[in-house]
């Protein structure tokens, strides 16, 4: 008899364990399947920006329970991953994608930085519309890097401006592996290259020394402005004891927002420091030395479009959070970025911005 042949010698009808209950049969591998109708819906929801967990939650809610869906959340995630792998297969990296965009749009700009082992560390891109917008509205730029999304945990760094309708516009976007002076210097050089070496008159950022060093080095004609909101937040940490005193709080807020001249600011600040032990509050001394970068009265000769903070950048980051997730690859993020900010999808963009901050779409 062939050694690969099996012979049934005895049959025992009784099971040694209970059969799967009816409500749990949908969990068996043999019973789970993402059929064509569900597959089409999953793709449509994914293209619309819904996260995988939200896609599956919709089916659970629509069918009256997970046991009625016909597949598990992992099956839904696997289906999406399979779809993305097909989209990004054959070395279709973010750079290859940029090359294809540039082939169709001669105004599309991209560049990347590599390390000593020729591995990509940072990259920046700007399409034709963004570059045109910068040519018209590039006097004031907001730059902020707090948002991290994608499975490489790189910092997302959009360059944002304001158009003639007081709407936020994107001049370009970057991903940074680290936030050092070297990385920021490379990024600002890349930004200038994309924008025909035209420096902004004002650039708003948070209080980051590495960023300030790079701006001073690469954008010497741009006035660095610090976000007043962040200064207020830092004040709450460093001056919490004094801010509980009404007289001090009034003077501090006046120095931030309501001084009509540099002389008035100096007078208000002089009264302010008499109310604190300056030897125990080095932060107050540090922020005073940077007063030309944050006090509005020192920038009256510069057009700032009414901007005092990086709020638009933070609101834009919230927009990114609505259409992306941390498991995304870089190429997936770029694809989602393109869809969301395309001309055809402009209304969707404005609705999302309006829901987060109505002032961004006035």
């Amino acid at each position: 008899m062939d050694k690969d042949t099996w012979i049934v010698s005895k049959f025992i009808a009784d099971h040694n364990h209970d059969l799967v209950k009816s409500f749990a049969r949908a969990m068996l591998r043999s019973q789970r399947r993402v059929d064509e109708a569900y597959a089409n819906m999953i793709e449509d929801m994914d293209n619309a920006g819904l996260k995988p967990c939200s896609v599956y939650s919709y089916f659970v809610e629509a069918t009256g329970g997970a046991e009625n869906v016909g597949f598990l959340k992992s099956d839904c995630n696997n289906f999406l991953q399979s779809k993305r792998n097909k989209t990004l297969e054959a070395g279709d990296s973010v750079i290859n994608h940029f090359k294809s965009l540039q082939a169709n749009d001669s105004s599309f700009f991209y560049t990347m930085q590599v390390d000593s082992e020729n591995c990509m560390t940072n990259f920046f891109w700007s399409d034709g519309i963004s570059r045109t917008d910068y040519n018209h509205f590039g006097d004031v730029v907001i730059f902020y890097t707090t948002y991290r999304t994608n499975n490489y945990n790189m910092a997302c760094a959009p360059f944002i401006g304001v158009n003639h309708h007081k709407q936020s516009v994107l001049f370009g976007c970057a991903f940074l592996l680290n936030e050092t002076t070297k990385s920021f210097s490379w990024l600002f050089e890349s930004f200038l290259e994309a924008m025909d070496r035209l420096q902004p008159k004002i650039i708003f950022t948070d209080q980051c020394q590495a960023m300030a060093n790079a701006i001073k080095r690469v954008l010497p004609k741009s006035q660095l402005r610090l976000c007043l909101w962040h200064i207020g937040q830092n004040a709450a940490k460093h001056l919490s004891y004094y801010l509980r005193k009404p007289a001090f709080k009034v003077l501090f807020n006046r120095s931030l927002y309501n001084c009509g001249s540099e002389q008035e600011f100096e007078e208000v600040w002089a009264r302010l420091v008499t109310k604190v032990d300056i030897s125990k509050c080095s932060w107050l001394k540090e922020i005073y030395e940077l007063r030309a970068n944050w006090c509005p009265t020192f920038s009256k000769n510069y057009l700032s479009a009414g901007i005092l903070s990086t709020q638009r950048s933070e609101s834009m980051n919230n927009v990114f959070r609505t259409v992306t997730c941390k498991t995304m690859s870089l190429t997936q993020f770029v694809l989602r970025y393109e869809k969301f900010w395309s001309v055809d999808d402009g209304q969707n963009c404005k609705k999302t911005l309006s829901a987060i901050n109505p002032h961004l779409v006035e």
Side-chain angles (χ1 to χ4, degrees), residues 146-176:
T146 58
Y147 180 51
R148 289 177 179 267
T149 180
N150 62 68
N151 52 14
Y152 300 102
N153 198 36
M154 299 175 77
C156 179
F159 290 84
I160 298 167
V162 183
N163 67 14
H164 54 308
H165 295 297
K166 294 186 178 180
Q167 297 170 347
S168 294
V169 290
L170 275 169
F171 298 140
C173 193
F175 273 113
L176 302 176

Side-chain angles (χ1 to χ4, degrees), residues 96-153:
N96 289 335
H97 180 65
F98 285 159
K99 288 179 180 178
S100 68
L101 291 175
Q102 195 174 63
N104 296 320
D105 177 10
S106 59
S107 297
F108 186 90
F109 177 93
Y110 77 92
T111 186
M112 65 176 178
Q113 185 181 36
V114 297
D115 60 18
S116 57
E117 298 179 357
N118 206 37
C119 294
M120 185 178 71
T121 57
N122 306 311
F123 68 90
F124 166 80
W125 79 97
S126 179
D127 60 27
I129 295 175
S130 295
R131 296 176 73 186
T132 299
D133 281 340
Y134 182 81
N135 188 52
H136 293 293
F137 313 115
D139 287 341
V140 181
V141 171
I142 305 165
F143 181 73
Y144 199 43
T145 61
T146 58
Y147 180 51
R148 289 177 179 267
T149 180
N150 62 68
N151 52 14
Y152 300 102
N153 198 36

Side-chain angles (χ1 to χ4, degrees), residues 100-275:
S100 68
L101 291 175
Q102 195 174 63
N104 296 320
D105 177 10
S106 59
S107 297
F108 186 90
F109 177 93
Y110 77 92
T111 186
M112 65 176 178
Q113 185 181 36
V114 297
D115 60 18
S116 57
E117 298 179 357
N118 206 37
C119 294
M120 185 178 71
T121 57
N122 306 311
F123 68 90
F124 166 80
W125 79 97
S126 179
D127 60 27
I129 295 175
S130 295
R131 296 176 73 186
T132 299
D133 281 340
Y134 182 81
N135 188 52
H136 293 293
F137 313 115
D139 287 341
V140 181
V141 171
I142 305 165
F143 181 73
Y144 199 43
T145 61
T146 58
Y147 180 51
R148 289 177 179 267
T149 180
N150 62 68
N151 52 14
Y152 300 102
N153 198 36
M154 299 175 77
C156 179
F159 290 84
I160 298 167
V162 183
N163 67 14
H164 54 308
H165 295 297
K166 294 186 178 180
Q167 297 170 347
S168 294
V169 290
L170 275 169
F171 298 140
C173 193
F175 273 113
L176 302 176
L177 195 61
N178 56 62
E179 298 179 60
T180 62
T181 297
K182 182 178 179 181
S183 289
F184 285 128
S185 295
W186 171 86
L187 177 55
F188 294 142
E189 283 285 1
S190 300
F191 181 77
L192 281 182
E193 183 181 353
M195 305 307 170
D196 299 323
R197 311 305 300 180
L198 181 62
Q199 297 186 27
K201 290 182 173 60
I202 291 180
I203 181 166
F204 279 87
T205 72
D206 61 351
Q207 195 174 345
C208 171
Q209 190 58 51
M211 198 182 299
N213 293 339
I215 290 173
K216 183 177 180 180
R217 180 184 303 173
V218 183
L219 303 171
K221 296 180 181 180
S222 301
Q223 186 190 38
L224 171 63
R225 301 292 297 162
L226 300 178
C227 170
L228 282 183
W229 183 85
H230 279 98
I231 290 177
Q233 291 296 104
N234 288 331
K237 297 177 182 177
H238 296 280
L239 305 174
S240 59
Y241 171 76
Y242 297 106
L243 287 172
R244 289 197 290 266
K245 300 179 180 181
F248 179 89
K249 186 174 183 179
V250 168
L251 287 174
F252 185 77
N253 288 338
R254 183 179 171 186
S255 69
L256 287 182
Y257 302 104
N258 299 321
C259 289
S261 66
E262 294 181 23
Q263 180 180 351
E264 181 183 356
F265 171 83
E266 296 294 349
E267 292 172 354
V268 170
W269 197 268
R271 291 169 57 192
L272 183 75
V273 295
T274 62
K275 299 181 179 298

